Amino acid sequence: AWTAAIALAAGRGQPLRFLDGDFGKVNATIGDEKFLRLKQQVREQVTSTGYTWNALGDDLETITICRSVASKARVNLPQSARVSGGSATGKFGHKDPNSVTDLLCRNESGRRWGFAGWIHGDSVESAYVAMCSLFLQRESVWLFNGYPQEGNWNRYEMSEAAEVLSREQCHVEIFQDSRSGLKDWLRMLVGGFRADVLLANSKGNRDFFDLAGKDRGFVPDVPLLDRPLALHLIHSWSLAAPDNEATVGGRFIANGVYAYAGSVHEPFLTAFVPPELVAKRLMSLVPFLVASRHWDGPFSNAWRVTTFGDPLMLIQPPARSSRMRQPPGEGEGYSSVRDSLPDLLRLMQQAPTAESYRRAILDLRLLQQDAMAIQVWQNADKVGLAAATAGSILPAMFRVRDFQG
């Protein structure tokens, strides 16, 4: 995952340090000794930066672990550092694992001095996570509430969050009440999941998720994404094995989620920050993963919610965004896809090869001209090149719901 470390060090101005040693595989659970060695190395590295770091409000507030480490650890915490109160009283034991990202960035008493993000995967996957975090604009937010609107569940309903986000001109879709069963979920999947950010509530385990109306979805119902997605998922166990595509969280990451707040074990409902508060924090420019953490109260102690991705990534309110795309200047080695397309289409007609058709189709997809790309593929079919170019046209057909194609 060094590609993510390099990109974020440059893009965020973060000091780059090297963390050596074996701290377990991604899906593993490590014990006291190995975790304390990891924690000590992190403290040594942040001290070496010269920044003040051992309290909130000083120079250094976040770290990003860009490498494979275990997602969970069984640590014998002092009583003062354990979660207690509410539904978790008496249920915290030494045998139960907590999230490594939540155990890190804490002093000896358990008080938080910072927030940890974590990026794992190969060099391509890790570069993708970092570049999405640095460069994408996140304006479309979907809210999906699979909980009954009664009792304690009602604290996690989505209408208040929708109002907060809409005031800042986010493009909001809300799925709640009669719109949040499995049929509604599957209907969203057809043609590609098109949100930039998803806040979702469901009950379940690592291999299934329950929605409204006592409906149940399974791992294959995790959506294919039409665009990269940041995900806040209130759901037990979803990230118990982040590197396993046969789990809910593992499939979300494999399908393109680049920022994710989820749980590694049974966290209890109140371990999650309610959507309304998450939305208020995001619109106040609190980074996405930091907004997903409890800052005070019993669940601000180390617990089971984990954070995957860049901890400094923002959901910038469209109403106050000043970000603009800077077009490349002359002589910088760039060319406009739109300007070069007519020449490419002429080449395709003059020399109808599989490669010329593929290039035209890919450029039309980049320009979001899916219907025109399909017309080009239909022309390829007429000259016997349909099979050779089929792989390049499938995403366009998926998005426009061309099921016959």
Side-chain angles (χ1 to χ4, degrees):
W2 63 270
T3 53
I6 292 288
L8 294 178
R12 304 292 190 208
Q14 292 177 301
L16 184 64
R17 294 293 185 271
F18 293 92
L19 187 66
D20 297 320
D22 174 13
F23 303 109
K25 295 183 178 180
V26 168
N27 296 336
T29 303
I30 54 176
D32 245 342
E33 181 181 349
K34 191 167 283 191
F35 173 76
L36 291 175
R37 195 161 67 245
L38 170 63
K39 180 179 177 180
Q40 181 59 33
Q41 281 205 43
V42 168
R43 291 169 70 105
E44 290 171 0
Q45 297 295 353
V46 296
T47 301
S48 73
T49 67
Y51 289 116
T52 58
W53 57 268
N54 60 353
L56 290 176
D58 55 15
D59 294 339
L60 197 153
E61 298 292 71
T62 67
I63 65 167
T64 313
I65 305 291
C66 298
R67 54 159 291 169
S68 292
V69 297
S71 55
K72 306 173 289 296
R74 291 187 177 92
V75 180
N76 192 15
L77 296 169
Q79 191 64 41
S80 61
R82 296 184 182 185
V83 166
S84 61
S87 58
T89 300
K91 296 182 183 294
F92 186 101
H94 178 52
K95 294 182 179 180
D96 297 320
N98 287 343
S99 157
V100 165
T101 61
D102 205 18
L103 286 162
L104 289 172
C105 300
R106 294 179 182 274
N107 59 28
E108 298 309 319
S109 69
R111 185 177 296 275
R112 185 186 298 282
W113 58 257
F115 297 86
W118 175 37
I119 298 172
H120 59 81
D122 65 25
S123 58
V124 174
E125 294 165 337
S126 301
Y128 164 83
V129 169
M131 294 304 182
C132 288
S133 302
L134 287 166
F135 293 111
L136 292 185
Q137 299 187 66
R138 289 161 277 272
E139 298 180 346
S140 170
V141 184
W142 286 4
L143 308 168
F144 195 99
N145 181 22
Y147 289 158
Q149 290 190 260
E150 59 187 33
N152 201 34
W153 302 109
N154 206 37
R155 289 187 61 223
Y156 293 82
E157 65 90 34
M158 296 293 190
S159 58
E160 295 293 333
E163 288 186 20
V164 171
L165 295 164
S166 296
R167 283 199 298 269
E168 295 292 347
Q169 298 177 18
C170 292
H171 307 300
V172 177
E173 288 275 351
I174 183 169
F175 301 86
Q176 191 162 267
D177 302 323
S178 60
R179 297 187 67 204
S180 55
L182 184 60
K183 287 184 179 179
D184 305 283
W185 177 267
L186 296 177
R187 196 174 295 119
M188 293 193 307
L189 272 54
V190 179
F193 207 71
R194 299 181 184 185
D196 298 318
V197 184
L198 173 65
L199 275 60
N201 305 332
S202 69
K203 307 172 190 175
N205 209 308
R206 68 181 68 197
D207 57 349
F208 67 86
F209 53 97
D210 289 343
L211 301 171
K214 298 183 179 180
D215 287 345
R216 174 164 291 183
F218 295 92
V219 172
D221 299 317
V222 169
L224 294 169
L225 304 178
D226 188 45
R227 62 181 72 180
L229 182 71
L231 174 65
H232 182 273
L233 183 59
I234 299 177
H235 175 93
S236 301
W237 306 89
S238 73
L239 283 173
D243 202 28
N244 181 354
E245 292 186 35
T247 66
V248 171
R251 183 66 61 91
F252 263 116
I253 290 174
N255 284 4
V257 165
Y258 64 92
Y260 191 153
S263 61
V264 300
H265 197 75
E266 173 55 65
F268 306 100
L269 179 61
T270 46
F272 293 101
V273 179
E276 179 188 4
L277 181 53
V278 172
K280 287 179 177 177
R281 290 174 173 180
L282 294 177
M283 295 300 97
S284 299
L285 296 180
V286 175
F288 180 73
L289 297 183
V290 178
S292 303
R293 291 272 186 216
H294 279 292
W295 299 349
D296 50 33
F299 285 97
S300 64
N301 283 342
W303 195 232
R304 297 166 182 171
V305 172
T306 196
T307 44
F308 170 79
D310 168 19
L312 291 174
M313 188 271 286
L314 301 175
I315 311 296
Q316 201 163 21
R320 290 179 281 138
S321 176
S322 60
R323 294 185 69 177
M324 296 179 65
R325 297 288 181 188
Q326 179 66 35
E330 293 293 328
E332 294 185 14
Y334 296 98
S335 62
S336 165
V337 173
R338 190 178 301 279
D339 291 346
S340 62
L341 184 60
D343 291 337
L344 188 55
L345 292 175
R346 278 193 292 271
L347 173 65
M348 181 189 73
Q349 292 173 339
Q350 294 166 2
T353 64
E355 180 58 24
S356 64
Y357 274 102
R358 268 198 300 267
R359 287 180 59 196
I361 289 169
L362 291 173
D363 281 5
L364 286 165
R365 282 172 42 200
L366 281 173
L367 294 169
Q368 300 181 46
Q369 299 293 326
D370 288 337
M372 189 179 294
I374 291 171
Q375 289 179 1
V376 169
W377 182 79
Q378 289 168 345
N379 289 334
D381 186 21
K382 294 175 182 177
V383 294
L385 295 172
T389 52
S392 60
I393 197 58
L394 281 171
M397 288 180 169
F398 179 62
R399 281 191 293 270
V400 304
R401 305 184 180 191
D402 180 358
F403 301 124
Q404 183 179 354

